[in-house]
Amino acid sequence: MMEIQELSMGVVLHGPLPKKPEFLPGIRRAPNRGYTLSKKETKVALMNALRYVPEEHHEVMAKEFYEELKTYGRIYGYRYRPEGRIYGKPLEDYEGRCTEGKAIQVMMDNNLDFDVALYPYELVTYGETGQVCQNWMQYRLIKSYLEVLESDETLVLESGHPLGIFKSHAMAPRLIITNAMMVGMFDTQEHWHYAMQMGVANYGQMTAGGMMYIGPQGIVHGTFNTILNAGRMKLGLKGEENLEGYLFVSSGLGGMSGAQPKAADIARAVSIVAEVDASRIKTRTDQGWVKEVAETPMEAFRMAEEAMEKKEALSIAFHGNIVDLLSYAVEHHKTIHLLSDQTSCHAPYDGGYCPEGISFEERTHLLETNRALFRKKVDETLLHHYELIKKLSDRGTYFFDYGNSFMKAVYDAGAKDIAKNGTDEKDGFIFPSYVEDIMGPELFDYGYGPFRWVCLSGKEEDLKATDACAMSCIDKNRRAQDLDNYNWIRDAEKNQLVVGTKARILYQDAEGRLKIALAFNQMVREKKVGPIMLGRDHHDVSGTDSPFRETANIKDGSNIMADMAVQCFAGNAARGMTMVALHNGGGVGIGKSINGGFGMVLDGSDRVDEILKTAMLWDVMGGVARRSWARNPHAMETSIRFNEEEKGKITIPRIPEEELLEKLLEEK
């Protein structure tokens, strides 16, 4: 067992080499990411990896690292993976000098649980490429630094690398994380692929590298809200009516997309979700998140139509390509009410999107042996996929982009007519993003977003107690959104949402988040529950600038700016959140998004109360204020109310008459 030593060099690896790992059968493995480095670049990449390893092991490990680089397209350092199962254990089972250091270890290990992670041996939590850190040497060092972290110090991670612990103070963050923050002129997929191979860039996705992933539950609530509100907007649902008798079709059963059938079940819809990877279907059926599996499109639609006729909720996984499913629907005039896609189109050429006409296994082989042909087939399939969606849309299907960069991938494949302005992507695409049409105006502009918490004790009774407390904090009569969220938390235990450690998600606005956070900290203070980690998805009101997703309903031209996410990150750090993170590319791909998240440990102290009172409101209202300045009506209403009720000082825009400007421009 490799030991850790705290020296003048910092915390370092030393001692004998760990034995070579044994890989358990049945655990998904990441495909070859592509080795493209020159001899000179390879030498630097190997030197970079060997920096973590004692000099006496360099000869052995240089050969192993070189073989990994050639075989997998990156260096994982498999030998340094700790033996046995990695999972989020109870807080008390971890070593550490402060509660925060132990709490972050819980979160990191939960991200790598076999039941949670997409490719656990490659440190990929979800989204095809979203990693906790780059390699297992980094993992060991991060864990060891957290064990010696004091309550007046801060650990810094740069693209997975633990830069070191630095003196700060008790009100400062204990951990600051950045991932893949590339300089503008190099902020492209091609340069990232080079940097990834070199071992200097980590794709943190959103909550993977931010260590706040709570399994697919984290997206179930957002998906539930999305399809339910789509039903209200497009299908005429009223009040508490649900999606009984309606069909939702999509694709993907991975770490995020796997939430779709569960969310559809809760909304009482019938759903068909296509997935090419049989292992992902098995994971979701074993969890009970998919009820039936169909091997042909005919079988899938037969089961769906029978359930729709009976007005029964039914989740169906179609083992095959979404394009085959939609081709059948077009040819046989099948009715699809709501349609989307959640393949990993932020990385379509790295395995995130499977071409039609080949199996998942053939896809993996082609990705490794002929990437140029793979890319060509991906582009052809994307264009076919797009044509099918247009035909279904013309027949009355409501299609929305689910923020997976699908429409951008179609545009990049050559379909320029998908651009709204017919020229470029700046103004978005002809089909709305789910944020542009649904989540933005109905949730984000009010401040509602994916608030979440983890019971660090690992106890079921703590989760039940926090559920009850959160429910008591919601005024279900204030807005329709509050009633939806009240019903969600009321039924959360019954819906069996937990995968991994004991966690919960609950969409809330600024006022609701602060109220719940303070109530939770009081419960910890009174020893009614153990310590709690608060957080959120980076996919939120303020945390992410992404013109095709989170900021798709920003129409003042600032949708291409990333000031909000950076300010959110900096403000949370300044106010003392336990853990703050800033990433490039999360959700939609390198160069297409900047996103930030946080984690906040509730230890019952007065110190935490003071941090919550400033940080929780800032984390939400900074984004509402930006949306208000973009002239979004609901965000303006929310900002004015905040100024009145909370004595805020948010700048409210003056709105000119459009006729005035039209007349002026006509005169020119």
Side-chain angles (χ1 to χ4, degrees), residues 411 416-430:
Y411 176 87
K416 304 306 178 189
D417 66 313
I418 200 172
K420 190 178 290 185
N421 60 20
T423 304
D424 58 34
E425 321 99 298
K426 187 168 71 271
D427 295 328
F429 302 102
I430 61 173

Side-chain angles (χ1 to χ4, degrees), residues 28 85 110 113-118 125 213-220 252-263 265 278-293 315 493-501:
R28 280 186 297 270
R85 180 188 171 203
N110 187 59
D113 190 331
F114 284 154
D115 291 338
V116 172
L118 178 60
T125 303
Y213 189 63
I214 60 168
Q217 177 190 180
I219 196 65
V220 175
L253 288 171
M256 299 296 281
S257 55
Q260 294 177 107
K262 184 70 171 180
D265 279 348
S279 74
R280 300 186 198 196
I281 293 176
K282 185 177 186 305
T283 295
R284 299 303 170 213
T285 52
D286 288 349
Q287 289 171 346
W289 287 35
V290 165
K291 299 297 190 301
E292 299 287 348
V293 179
S315 48
E493 183 182 354
K494 177 183 72 177
N495 287 324
Q496 298 179 319
L497 298 164
V498 173
V499 178
T501 194

Side-chain angles (χ1 to χ4, degrees), residues 482-620:
D482 294 299
L483 179 59
D484 287 346
N485 295 331
Y486 179 88
N487 292 340
W488 168 271
I489 196 68
R490 179 196 65 197
D491 298 336
E493 183 182 354
K494 177 183 72 177
N495 287 324
Q496 298 179 319
L497 298 164
V498 173
V499 178
T501 194
K502 302 299 180 186
R504 187 68 75 218
I505 185 168
L506 172 63
Y507 269 57
Q508 282 293 287
D509 64 353
E511 177 186 328
R513 296 187 211 196
L514 177 58
K515 189 175 182 180
I516 292 170
L518 289 170
F520 282 1
N521 200 46
Q522 181 67 24
M523 291 174 72
V524 177
R525 182 157 46 241
E526 295 172 355
K527 302 193 183 308
K528 294 179 179 177
V529 294
I532 293 168
M533 173 75 87
L534 290 185
R536 57 165 170 75
D537 195 342
H538 302 197
H539 163 63
D540 197 8
V541 180
S542 310
T544 300
D545 284 297
S546 182
F548 309 133
R549 198 163 89 166
E550 283 81 1
T551 45
N553 72 320
I554 299 289
K555 302 299 186 182
D556 67 347
S558 69
N559 59 321
I560 64 172
M561 307 302 291
D563 295 306
M564 178 178 71
V566 176
Q567 287 282 5
C568 185
F569 164 80
N572 284 340
R575 288 166 176 81
M577 292 289 203
T578 303
M579 178 170 68
V580 290
L582 188 68
H583 307 324
N584 174 15
V588 291
I590 288 294
K592 303 183 184 77
S593 168
I594 300 295
N595 70 87
F598 77 84
M600 183 68 208
V601 176
L602 307 185
D603 61 6
S605 67
D606 293 338
R607 173 187 64 86
V608 165
D609 276 350
E610 293 308 307
I611 293 172
L612 292 173
K613 288 172 185 176
T614 56
M616 294 301 289
L617 292 178
W618 155 252
D619 184 68
V620 179

Side-chain angles (χ1 to χ4, degrees), residues 44-118:
V44 177
L46 292 172
M47 291 181 69
N48 289 345
L50 289 167
R51 288 182 288 195
Y52 295 103
V53 179
E55 289 82 350
E56 61 266 28
H57 304 313
H58 280 188
E59 184 174 354
V60 172
M61 292 313 301
K63 293 177 183 177
E64 285 192 22
F65 288 157
Y66 184 37
E67 190 60 33
E68 287 181 11
L69 191 56
K70 291 188 297 180
T71 304
Y72 301 107
R74 60 173 66 183
I75 295 170
Y76 294 112
Y78 289 118
R79 187 188 283 264
Y80 286 88
R81 182 188 183 277
E83 291 185 73
R85 180 188 171 203
I86 296 174
Y87 64 101
K89 299 184 287 293
L91 185 77
E92 61 191 23
D93 290 355
Y94 289 89
E95 294 183 29
R97 299 177 183 174
C98 64
T99 301
E100 295 91 339
K102 292 190 283 187
I104 296 166
Q105 293 179 67
V106 176
M107 304 306 299
M108 181 169 66
D109 284 354
N110 187 59
N111 276 16
L112 294 168
D113 190 331
F114 284 154
D115 291 338
V116 172
L118 178 60

Side-chain angles (χ1 to χ4, degrees), residues 365-509:
H365 178 71
L366 186 61
L367 188 60
E368 183 173 346
T369 58
N370 192 336
R371 294 181 75 87
L373 179 59
F374 180 81
R375 186 183 186 105
K376 179 175 180 291
K377 285 183 173 292
V378 164
D379 284 347
E380 291 171 350
T381 305
L382 282 166
L383 295 177
H384 187 197
H385 195 163
Y386 172 48
E387 290 302 318
L388 292 167
I389 289 170
K390 285 196 290 185
K391 289 177 181 177
L392 289 165
S393 181
D394 288 343
R395 296 178 187 175
T397 295
Y398 173 59
F399 172 79
F400 58 94
D401 184 294
Y402 219 141
N404 62 333
S405 210
F406 171 74
M407 288 191 290
K408 179 64 166 70
V410 170
Y411 176 87
D412 291 341
K416 304 306 178 189
D417 66 313
I418 200 172
K420 190 178 290 185
N421 60 20
T423 304
D424 58 34
E425 321 99 298
K426 187 168 71 271
D427 295 328
F429 302 102
I430 61 173
F431 294 112
S433 156
Y434 76 120
V435 173
E436 186 175 6
D437 225 16
I438 305 168
M439 296 286 280
E442 296 303 316
L443 291 166
F444 288 171
D445 284 354
Y446 287 104
Y448 292 99
F451 177 62
R452 57 180 57 172
W453 64 91
V454 174
C455 296
L456 296 167
S457 67
K459 294 178 180 178
E460 182 70 28
E461 55 264 37
D462 281 10
L463 186 57
K464 290 180 180 180
T466 54
D467 281 351
C469 177
M471 189 164 60
S472 72
C473 291
I474 299 173
D475 177 4
K476 63 182 179 180
N477 298 313
R478 185 176 58 148
R479 295 192 189 111
Q481 294 92 329
D482 294 299
L483 179 59
D484 287 346
N485 295 331
Y486 179 88
N487 292 340
W488 168 271
I489 196 68
R490 179 196 65 197
D491 298 336
E493 183 182 354
K494 177 183 72 177
N495 287 324
Q496 298 179 319
L497 298 164
V498 173
V499 178
T501 194
K502 302 299 180 186
R504 187 68 75 218
I505 185 168
L506 172 63
Y507 269 57
Q508 282 293 287
D509 64 353

